[in-house]
Structure formats: C-alpha cells, structure tokens
Amino acid sequence: MKSYRKELWFNTAERISFVNITQDVQTAVKESGIKEGLCLVNAMHITASVFINDNESGLHQDYKEWLEELAPHEPISHYRHNLTGEDNGDAHLKRQIMGREVVIAITDGKLDFGPWEQIFYGEFDGRRRKRVLIKIIGE
Amino acid sequence: MKSYRKELWFNTAERISFVNITQDVQTAVKESGIKEGLCLVNAMHITASVFINDNESGLHQDYKEWLEELAPHEPISHYRHNLTGEDNGDAHLKRQIMGREVVIAITDGKLDFGPWEQIFYGEFDGRRRKRVLIKIIGE
Amino acid sequence: MKSYRKELWFNTAERISFVNITQDVQTAVKESGIKEGLCLVNAMHITASVFINDNESGLHQDYKEWLEELAPHEPISHYRHNLTGEDNGDAHLKRQIMGREVVIAITDGKLDFGPWEQIFYGEFDGRRRKRVLIKIIGE
C-alpha cells in the first residue's frame, strides 16, 4: 500500500468564497503514483468546507444566499460562540451544511468522477491563511 | 491491497425519490472478495445523494417535506442556477443536506452496520439516467 | 495492509448531547499500530452523528438551538415517523445536518488534524445505549 499527503493553502479576499480545487487534487493524485485507491480531501479548519458540486457561478450565488438564510452572519450577538471574541459563529454552522470533507475513488490513476463533479474549497471565514489536506492511499 | 469498482444505474419515475441500495452494496462487497477494508458509495451526479438512515416510509416522507421547506423547488426563478435553463437549483441545495457519499467499514466480508442502518440513493432531479459509484479497497 | 476495529459505547443523560471523543479515537489509532492510512469514525445509530468542529461550549449551545430551529422536537405529531410510536423524528433530521461519519487521515501514527479540529459524538435521541464504530486501514 502506498500513501501520499499534500496540503493546499488559501487566503481568500472575501469572508465567504468558493475555490475550485479539482485540478490541484488531480495533480496530487498524479504525484502520488496511486492507480487504485481512495482520496480524502478535507478542510483543516472548522469554519471551512470541502464539497463536490457544479462549477456554475449562479449556483454558487444560490449557495451563499441560502446559507445566509439558514445561518445569518448578523447579528453577531446571536451566537454564543461570538462571546469568545470571534465573529464567526455563523461560519461554524454553514460549514456543517456544506461538509468538512469528501472521499473520492481513484481508478486508473484518476479521480473517478461523474460528468459534472468538481471539488470546491468553501471558505466561510476568510481573509486569513487556511489549509486543505489531501491524503491518498492505494496502490 | 485489492480494489473493486461497480456502478449502479437509476432512472426514477418521480423527481424526488429514495431507493434502498443496501443489498446492491452488500452484493458488491461479496463480489470484491474483500474481507477487511472501506467501501465508498457516492452519487456521481450533483443533484443526488447517498445517505444512511432508517428504512421507514414515514421518515422518508418527513425528509421530503423538510427538504422542500429548506430549499423549495418553486418558484423556479428563485434560483440563479435556473437562469442556465435548468429547473433543478433546489436539487443542488437538497443534496448538500443529505450528502454526496457514505464510507462504510467492511469487517469479515460484510458491511459493518448498526441495527437500523440502511443505504439509500436520494434522487432530487430524477426522470433521467443517473449513476452511483461503489469503490471498495482492502484485503 | 493492516486494519483495526473498535467500538465506543455511550449512554447520555440528556436527549441531546455532544461528547468529545478525540482522545478515544487517538488511542484507537495508537492501538492499531497503523502509521499511514485512513480512519473512519461513524455513528452506528441513525439518530446520532459523528462530526468534527471546535471544542467550545458556546458553539455547542449554538448548534443545539440552530438544530432545534431547523428540525424542532415538538410537536411530536409533526413527524410521520412518530406514528410508529417513536418520538425521535426530529433526531433523524438533525443527524443529516451534522453527518453520520468523518474520515480522518493518519500520518506518522497520529490523527492528521488542523489546529482546532476535535471529534464529537452528537447524540439527538439519548438516554439509551448506543455505539460509534472506529475502523482504521493502512500500514
């Protein structure tokens, strides 16, 4: 069994932002030399997500508005977590909807994807350096 | 390390539908010959889910009503994604609540499940051919 | 390839409760002897979650209030599932938001975590004996 580990770093300009990382993950799969296995991609921070969906800007705007309805950023005082001095209580909730991680099959040395699957880093408390972990195991 | 790959195909009669695929996944585990490992089951389409919960029709109706409250299908014009000509903006949101994938332990050649765990394909934009991927690795 | 399996048991005093299981999972990783691999941690019951987030009591209170807004426990009669004689329809919905499972990279024999990641058992229908499964594969 082989394993491979790689980190991706982000520092988004906006508080909420989605970044397409599909090519970065595919590059990591190639670097790993693994032909058959599983690839874990997870946010290493608890106010961010990794998710798989469509690379369509209208949909991304829909996600942002929907998440804002489900867990509004303001009023800041709505969240007890913000009594710690943070203002990111909402980001911890949004991240649960969109998920921490994805696990992707690797087949013939490639991400084994349906026609529209793309991997996104979902940032809900940006403007600071944060990481994604890629861990691949297989042969 | 062994690996095994199989696709399941669906074409549901309804726009929203839940299909019990537990036996199909157990069959794939048997076909794989893998006794100890991990089994990934994921929707290959971005308006569908794979999730684990109870095989109880009342609960499934509860899920459908709840998801419709959280992300209503209509008005179609509510979703920017639908400006692309699609009418499935809501389906992309519903899928995030229910999840893209499950990862299941395989022990002694079987799905290592609690007493009520069953695997479902969750369709939110049906009436077309769509796929689920099963990928198993282990020994 | 090695594999390792362990169960954790819970019987929470409250109906809804979050239990930090990070050390239990780290102990299982050490027991496994696996240095590089993947660790699956999943609820074996369908009204409970395993999730990764911050070990901060204010946030946990925020989660409980938010989940109660999204899927209220009462009125019990709101859920068709409760026609079976159960009163836990809401718990099946809450668990979908918080998730069934997490998959964690193992690197150098440890959980490969960002600075604030902690693993929690999320109970939404407690006061009974329930289990979490840990399954680790790797080398």
Side-chain angles (χ1 to χ4, degrees), chain A residues 74-119:
Chain A
E74 296 186 324
I76 302 296
S77 62
H78 177 69
Y79 300 98
R80 287 180 204 193
H81 181 56
N82 292 339
L83 293 173
T84 63
E86 299 277 1
D87 70 349
N88 62 10
D90 64 304
H92 291 270
L93 278 56
K94 287 169 169 133
R95 117 77 167 247
Q96 291 304 124
I97 299 279
M98 298 304 278
R100 168 188 179 259
E101 78 216 9
V102 296
V103 178
I104 307 156
I106 297 174
T107 303
D108 291 335
K110 290 184 182 161
L111 297 169
D112 194 338
F113 267 166
W116 300 101
E117 289 189 285
Q118 298 271 308
I119 314 166

Side-chain angles (χ1 to χ4, degrees), chain A residues 1 35-38 51-54 56 58-59 61-63 65-66 69-70 97-98 101-107 112-118 137-139, chain B residues 1-3 5 7 38-40 42-47 70-71 78-82 84 89 92-97 100-101 103 131 133 135-137 139:
Chain A
M1 200 203 78
K35 300 298 183 194
E36 300 293 326
L38 294 178
F51 66 94
I52 288 174
N53 218 294
D54 199 358
E56 199 278 300
L59 177 65
Q61 193 59 34
D62 290 333
Y63 277 137
E65 291 180 13
W66 181 60
E69 283 167 30
L70 291 178
I97 299 279
M98 298 304 278
E101 78 216 9
V102 296
V103 178
I104 307 156
I106 297 174
T107 303
D112 194 338
F113 267 166
W116 300 101
E117 289 189 285
Q118 298 271 308
I137 70 169
E139 270 184 1
Chain B
M1 200 203 77
K2 287 191 209 175
S3 71
R5 179 191 194 277
E7 291 181 2
L38 293 178
C39 176
L40 168 69
N42 69 266
M44 299 186 78
H45 297 259
I46 52 191
T47 51
L70 292 178
H78 177 67
Y79 299 98
R80 287 181 204 191
H81 181 58
N82 291 339
T84 62
H92 291 270
L93 278 56
K94 287 169 170 133
R95 118 76 168 248
Q96 290 304 124
I97 298 280
R100 167 187 180 260
E101 79 217 9
V103 178
R131 284 177 291 163
L133 177 63
K135 184 88 180 191
I136 305 167
I137 70 170
E139 271 184 359

Side-chain angles (χ1 to χ4, degrees), chain C residues 4 29 46 52 54 78 80 88 93 95 97 101 103 120 123 127 131:
Chain C
Y4 185 75
V29 172
I46 52 191
I52 287 174
D54 199 359
H78 177 68
R80 286 180 206 191
N88 63 10
L93 278 55
R95 117 76 167 249
I97 298 279
E101 78 217 10
V103 178
F120 292 90
E123 175 64 81
R127 299 180 287 208
R131 284 177 291 164

Side-chain angles (χ1 to χ4, degrees), chain C residues 28-45:
Chain C
V29 172
K30 185 177 278 190
E31 291 166 356
S32 76
I34 290 170
K35 299 298 182 193
E36 301 291 326
L38 294 178
C39 176
L40 168 69
V41 188
N42 69 267
M44 299 185 80
H45 298 259

